[in-house]
Amino acid sequence: MGEQPIFSARAHVFQIDPSTKRNWIPASKHAVTVSYFYDATRNVYRVISVGGTKAIINSTITPNMTFTKTSQKFGQWADSRANTVYGLGFASEQQLSQFAEKFQEVKEAARLAREKSQDKTELTHQSLHLGSQQMLPSPLIGINGPGDEKLFRSQSADTELTTEKERLKKMLSEGSVCEVQWEAEFFSLQDSNNKLVAALHEANANVEQWKKQLAAYQEETERLRQRVSELEARGTQEASSTVGAEETGRNVEDLEALLKAREQEIHTLKSQNPEARDLESERDVNLQKLQEAESRNLELERQLRHAEQMLEEVLTEREKMQSEVTKVGEQLDVKLFELSELRQGLAKLVENN
């Protein structure tokens, strides 16, 4: 009948690096078919996978093997006869669970097959032993006759069978010890792998957090820059208002000088013109204008002081904002430097692993 497939699945196949015993080497470029086969002739179970023209997995299942799930989609087992460790990466957790359950079933079937084979071997040994005992009362036995030769051959066969049985037991025990050693080393590799994955996850989380903080700092810096631009625009407007107030003050001074000149002219005209009343009325009008100009001058001076006060406040706020922008820029530089060191550390960690 030959070998018959009993279960198949699609997975990426890996083998442990024989030099380092830590890194995985891909045995296939893409997912391949991995199948359980049963050989009815030899009563053995095997896991077989063919990639291209060669077999990338040819593992005979024994009762001492253990299939270990190291992640949600990855499982592995050690084969001491092939002197390697096989790893399978599945597309889903369900496929991994199905493969692991079938591995357990096949391992149990292999155990039953081994026990059945050992029972047959013991029955064969017992039948050979009984056959040798039944040969003793044969009429062929005689002194120096053919019966002595047959008795000697039966005892030699029993001795050879016992020696062969002891040798098989020794080989099985050595195989079990090797498998235990492989499993222990395998578990240590699994722990190292889990620790490395946890460290990478933590590093990725820290990188994401730093990215968020960097984006927040950038937004805050942009907001501060806009605020400084607005303050500068307001300061420019206040400065233009101050210039207007200074021009008004100069106009008032010119009016006062002109008024004094008019008063001088009025005084001169009084001494020269008998119509002093008209000149006095004109002087009164000019005095009223002067008072209005002085009132306007006081109002302009008040506006000027207010404008100067506002300008001083704007300049103070501007200096404060510039100080805050400088401080935020320094903090941003520190965070960027720390992020650069973290990336370099991650790159070294990935290279080392």
Side-chain angles (χ1 to χ4, degrees):
M1 293 178 63
E3 287 185 314
Q4 297 294 330
I6 58 177
F7 181 80
S8 297
R10 299 280 296 180
H12 291 271
V13 180
F14 300 86
Q15 289 187 8
I16 201 72
D17 189 352
S19 59
T20 62
K21 301 295 184 180
R22 294 181 179 275
N23 301 325
W24 289 107
I25 300 177
S28 61
K29 296 181 179 180
H30 50 79
V32 296
T33 301
V34 183
S35 303
Y36 289 98
F37 280 84
Y38 173 63
D39 189 350
T41 304
R42 296 187 299 165
N43 197 19
V44 295
Y45 294 86
R46 293 196 298 168
V47 179
I48 298 176
S49 179
V50 179
T53 58
K54 64 178 182 178
I56 57 178
I57 297 180
N58 186 6
S59 177
T60 302
I61 304 300
T62 64
N64 294 324
M65 288 184 177
T66 302
F67 186 84
T68 305
K69 297 179 183 179
T70 58
S71 67
Q72 293 181 351
K73 298 180 181 180
F74 193 86
Q76 54 192 26
W77 79 96
D79 190 342
S80 59
R81 296 183 179 180
N83 194 24
T84 188
V85 180
Y86 294 105
L88 298 179
F90 294 89
S92 64
E93 185 177 359
Q94 182 180 3
Q95 294 180 0
L96 173 61
S97 299
Q98 292 176 353
F99 192 90
E101 291 174 358
K102 184 58 66 173
F103 193 97
Q104 187 67 25
E105 294 177 3
V106 170
K107 186 176 75 169
E108 183 66 20
R111 184 184 65 80
L112 295 175
R114 173 179 289 187
E115 291 178 355
K116 186 176 181 181
S117 176
Q118 290 178 353
D119 293 340
K120 287 183 178 180
T121 304
E122 291 177 358
L123 290 174
T124 303
H125 291 172
Q126 291 178 1
S127 61
L128 290 174
H129 184 66
L130 291 174
S132 62
Q133 290 180 351
Q134 291 175 358
M135 290 173 63
L136 292 176
S138 173
L140 296 175
I141 296 176
I143 299 174
N144 296 329
D148 293 334
E149 183 179 357
K150 290 182 179 181
L151 178 60
F152 177 74
R153 288 180 180 178
S154 176
Q155 293 175 352
S156 299
D158 288 340
T159 303
E160 291 177 358
L161 288 173
T162 303
T163 304
E164 182 67 18
K165 187 174 181 180
E166 293 295 331
R167 188 176 66 83
L168 289 174
K169 287 183 178 180
K170 183 178 181 181
M171 289 177 63
L172 290 173
S173 62
E174 291 177 353
S176 300
V177 172
C178 292
E179 289 177 359
V180 170
Q181 292 176 352
W182 272 103
E183 289 179 357
E185 184 176 357
F186 208 33
F187 287 137
S188 64
L189 291 174
Q190 180 182 352
D191 292 338
S192 300
N193 189 23
N194 292 334
K195 292 179 180 178
L196 179 59
V197 170
L200 288 176
H201 284 312
E202 184 178 358
N204 291 330
N206 291 332
V207 169
E208 293 297 330
Q209 185 178 1
W210 282 113
K211 286 182 179 179
K212 292 179 180 179
Q213 292 182 358
L214 179 60
Y217 289 146
Q218 290 176 348
E219 292 178 358
E220 183 67 17
T221 303
E222 187 64 27
R223 187 181 66 80
L224 292 175
R225 286 177 180 174
Q226 293 178 356
R227 180 62 176 167
V228 170
S229 299
E230 293 175 358
L231 293 175
E232 288 178 349
R234 288 176 57 184
T236 303
Q237 293 177 357
E238 295 295 337
S240 63
S241 299
T242 304
V243 172
E246 292 176 354
E247 291 178 355
T248 303
R250 287 196 296 269
N251 292 332
V252 171
E253 292 176 355
D254 294 337
L255 288 174
E256 290 177 351
L258 180 61
L259 182 59
K260 289 179 180 181
R262 290 291 178 87
E263 289 177 350
Q264 186 67 31
E265 289 178 359
I266 290 170
H267 183 69
T268 303
L269 289 173
K270 275 184 177 182
S271 61
Q272 294 179 358
N273 192 354
E275 298 179 354
R277 293 180 179 179
D278 295 334
L279 293 175
E280 287 178 356
S281 62
E282 186 178 358
R283 186 190 66 178
D284 294 335
V285 172
N286 291 328
L287 287 173
Q288 186 177 1
K289 289 181 178 180
L290 178 61
Q291 291 176 356
E292 292 176 357
E294 288 177 350
S295 299
R296 185 179 177 186
N297 187 21
L298 293 174
E299 179 66 20
L300 290 175
E301 286 179 354
R302 187 185 64 79
Q303 292 181 359
L304 178 61
R305 286 194 299 270
H306 181 67
E308 288 176 350
Q309 184 178 1
M310 290 183 62
L311 179 60
E312 183 178 358
E313 291 177 356
V314 168
L315 292 176
T316 303
E317 188 176 1
R318 179 181 177 183
E319 291 177 356
K320 183 179 179 181
M321 297 300 291
Q322 287 180 349
S323 176
E324 291 179 358
V325 170
T326 304
K327 185 177 180 180
V328 171
E330 293 175 352
Q331 292 179 355
L332 184 59
D333 292 337
V334 173
K335 298 299 182 182
L336 290 173
F337 179 75
E338 293 177 353
L339 181 59
S340 176
E341 289 184 342
L342 179 61
R343 288 180 177 174
Q344 292 178 359
L346 287 174
K348 292 181 180 180
L349 183 62
V350 173
E351 291 178 359
N352 293 332
N353 294 324

